[in-house]
């Protein structure tokens, strides 16, 4: 708040999970908008809340959002308005994959209508600064592949791909690594690596379905094997990638190591997945108000569920 009052911005863009940005904007007289990073789940929940408040049969008589937000607003002499939760308008950074589901409606404008501005992206992506030597090339023979970060059960999956001519790089923290046991020779464990350093030489990625990881893979046109962990819009992302022929989806409730190995081999060997890599890019580029997504800033951290696969020179068959 002190920063906003000192700098006196004309516009504040705020994360939909941080409505304090709207409070700061209102307190200093700035225009403000939400900056979506995925599906507008907050907007959907707010719409549902308003519908239930208007329906006596729902049993909801008090707005559950007010006890949370009113103490912060009162501190600065402000009252609650819908703009506190939903902004004066919304800047949508997502592609059609994150559209509001059919039959749902988000009302965010002052008059109860949805006000959304589509963002415009630069096409292409830029690899990050040089990382470790193994990021830029594979130590395996030409035609081999490299993978990073894996899903549970890690140890069994590592063993299942130990006979494949690939290098797998898994981002594992010390606690995770302790549960895996001895790693096969073609598995490289590392705590952290930026995706834009490692994706340019990757042949496939196995990950949890997060928008940052998926967007970076789309930018570098790397096929994806997604095990969607239901936190925000991971299932929607997984379905989007699968429909466009750029990857496969694993049911997280029924993970089978043998099936995952087969799916990984399919990503590496079937030409259709290599050809499908650019399709989500074209989807972003074809969206009104966009020219393709400029990503490459995503990062693989030790808490995320990701697995990347690289080749020596070009992504091709094993």
């Amino acid at each position: 708040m002190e920063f906003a009052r000192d700098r006196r911005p004309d516009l504040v863009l705020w994360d939909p999970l941080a409505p304090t940005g709207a409070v700061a904007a209102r307190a200093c007289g700035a225009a403000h908008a939400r900056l979506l990073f995925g599906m507008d789940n907050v907007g959907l929940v707010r719409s549902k809340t308003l519908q239930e408040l208007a329906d006596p049969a729902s049993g909801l008589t008090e707005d559950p959002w007010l006890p949370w937000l009113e103490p912060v607003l009162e501190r600065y002499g402000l009252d609650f308005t819908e703009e506190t939760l939903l902004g004066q308008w919304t800047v949508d950074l997502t592609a059609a994959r994150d559209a509001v589901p059919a039959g749902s409606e988000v009302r965010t404008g002052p008059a109860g209508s949805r006000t959304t501005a589509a963002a415009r992206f630069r096409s292409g992506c830029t690899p990050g600064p040089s990382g470790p030597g193994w990021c830029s090339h594979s130590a395996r023979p030409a035609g081999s592949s490299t993978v990073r970060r894996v899903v549970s059960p890690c140890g069994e999956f590592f063993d299942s791909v130990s006979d494949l001519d690939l290098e797998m790089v898994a981002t594992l923290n010390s606690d995770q690594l302790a549960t895996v046991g001895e790693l096969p020779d073609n598995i490289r464990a590392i705590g952290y690596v930026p995706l834009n350093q490692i994706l340019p030489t990757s042949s496939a990625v196995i990950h949890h379905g997060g928008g940052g990881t998926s967007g970076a893979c789309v930018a570098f046109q790397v096929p994806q094997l997604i095990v969607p962990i239901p936190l925000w819009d991971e299932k929607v992302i997984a379905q989007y990638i699968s429909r466009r022929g750029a990857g496969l989806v694993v049911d997280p409730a029924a993970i089978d190591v043998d099936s995952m190995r087969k799916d990984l081999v399919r990503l590496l060997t079937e030409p259709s997945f290599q050809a499908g890599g650019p399709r989500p890019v074209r989807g972003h580029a074809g969206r009104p108000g966009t020219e393709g997504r400029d990503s490459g800033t995503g990062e693989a951290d030790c808490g995320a569920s990701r697995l990347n696969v690289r080749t020596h020179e070009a992504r091709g068959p094993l």
Side-chain angles (χ1 to χ4, degrees), residues 205 207-209 214 224-228 234 237-238 241 248-250:
V205 181
H207 65 92
H208 67 298
S214 181
Q224 306 175 48
L225 180 58
I226 302 179
V227 187
E234 290 77 9
I237 290 174
I241 294 298
L248 297 169
V249 181
V250 176

Side-chain angles (χ1 to χ4, degrees), residues 23-292:
V23 177
R26 292 180 61 193
C28 69
H32 63 96
R34 293 184 306 155
L35 192 66
L36 294 186
F37 56 81
M39 278 187 62
D40 189 5
N41 291 342
V42 173
L44 288 171
V45 171
R46 183 57 182 166
S47 292
K48 181 65 174 177
T49 300
L50 294 177
Q51 292 171 9
E52 292 185 359
L53 286 171
D55 181 8
S58 71
L60 186 64
T61 58
E62 296 183 359
D63 193 329
W65 297 81
L66 297 188
W68 176 45
L69 290 170
E70 279 187 332
V72 178
L73 292 164
E74 290 172 355
R75 190 182 311 165
Y76 300 102
L78 302 172
D79 57 355
F80 176 82
T81 68
E82 294 302 309
E83 291 180 359
T84 308
L85 270 178
L86 304 174
Q88 293 174 325
W89 74 94
T90 297
V91 180
D92 189 356
L93 299 182
T94 65
R97 64 169 175 82
D98 285 326
V100 174
S104 302
E105 186 176 13
V106 181
R107 299 186 177 274
T108 66
S113 60
R114 181 172 172 80
T115 306
T116 303
R120 183 176 298 277
F121 296 93
R122 293 184 292 115
S123 60
C125 53
T126 304
S130 298
W134 55 264
C135 274
S136 59
H137 62 84
S138 172
R140 310 289 291 181
S144 65
S145 306
T146 305
V147 192
R148 303 170 190 92
R149 186 66 174 102
V150 77
V151 295
S152 179
C154 289
E156 294 180 25
F157 183 76
F158 288 149
D159 291 339
S160 76
V161 299
S162 62
D163 63 325
L164 297 179
D165 187 17
L166 57 77
E167 181 187 19
M168 179 176 293
V169 181
T171 55
L172 299 172
N173 60 31
S174 57
D175 292 337
Q176 293 167 327
L177 194 58
T179 65
V180 173
E182 185 176 356
L183 295 173
D185 292 340
N186 62 344
I187 308 297
R188 182 192 298 271
I190 188 171
Y192 164 86
V193 62
L195 288 176
N196 59 340
Q197 287 185 3
I198 204 168
L199 283 177
T201 54
S202 293
S203 300
V205 181
I206 302 177
H207 65 92
H208 67 298
T213 304
S214 181
C217 293
V218 166
F220 286 99
Q221 301 182 18
V222 182
Q224 306 175 48
L225 180 58
I226 302 179
V227 187
I229 307 301
L231 297 174
W232 195 260
D233 56 1
E234 290 77 9
K235 290 184 178 180
V236 175
I237 290 174
Q239 293 167 359
Y240 175 80
I241 294 298
S242 177
R243 285 198 307 267
R244 290 184 171 268
L248 297 169
V249 181
V250 176
D251 182 357
I255 294 178
D256 177 78
V257 169
D258 292 335
S259 296
M260 284 192 63
R261 172 196 157 101
K262 293 178 182 177
D263 288 340
L264 175 59
V265 172
R266 286 187 60 194
L267 291 182
L268 297 172
T269 58
E270 294 185 15
S272 63
F273 290 110
Q274 303 299 321
R279 291 173 189 161
V281 177
R282 292 195 292 268
H284 283 263
R287 184 170 180 257
T290 66
E291 296 176 333

Side-chain angles (χ1 to χ4, degrees), residues 10-30:
D10 296 311
L11 172 65
V12 174
L13 299 178
W14 49 277
D15 187 301
L17 297 180
T20 47
V23 177
R26 292 180 61 193
C28 69

